[in-house]
Amino acid sequence: MRITLNLPDFTLDDLDVNDPHFNPGLCAGCGNERWGQMARLHGTGWLHTQTEEDEPTCLQKALDNLQANPLTAWHTIALHIAKYPSRHDASTIRAVLRHLTNTSQTN
Ligand SMILES: [Zn+2]
């Protein structure tokens, strides 16, 4: 099954306190300062969605890591569905709930 998370990019500003996207801090992927285009992956944090060279972005690396760890991946999807229920259709929400219920029963 394939679930698409809609992660909007924001252009973060770490200098101007009055900017609506003022959001200083560090990237949860590379640990460097937040700059430019970033997206928030719940359960992980803010991640760069652009790189200076032709490398995978911090967001892409985080998503690749999630796929290697299915339980964390389902948990992340559940966090996104809880935060933005209207962005997901009922069959996706049902599948995630069913999966999490099955997972917690077997543990
Ligand atoms: Zn980064």
Side-chain angles (χ1 to χ4, degrees), residues 40-104:
R40 185 170 180 198
L41 184 64
H42 289 281
T44 302
W46 286 94
L47 294 158
H48 293 118
T49 61
Q50 62 180 108
T51 51
E52 287 179 347
E53 280 126 47
D54 198 17
E55 293 174 7
T57 64
C58 295
L59 176 62
Q60 186 57 52
K61 288 182 201 163
L63 293 174
D64 291 346
N65 284 342
L66 277 185
Q67 288 178 14
N69 188 341
L71 189 58
T72 310
W74 282 107
H75 190 232
T76 300
I77 293 165
L79 286 171
H80 277 269
I81 285 176
K83 183 90 177 169
Y84 312 107
S86 61
R87 288 189 197 161
H88 303 273
D89 61 28
S91 63
T92 301
I93 295 172
R94 262 200 306 274
V96 172
L97 287 176
R98 193 182 310 121
H99 188 90
L100 290 175
T101 310
N102 289 343
T103 308
S104 58

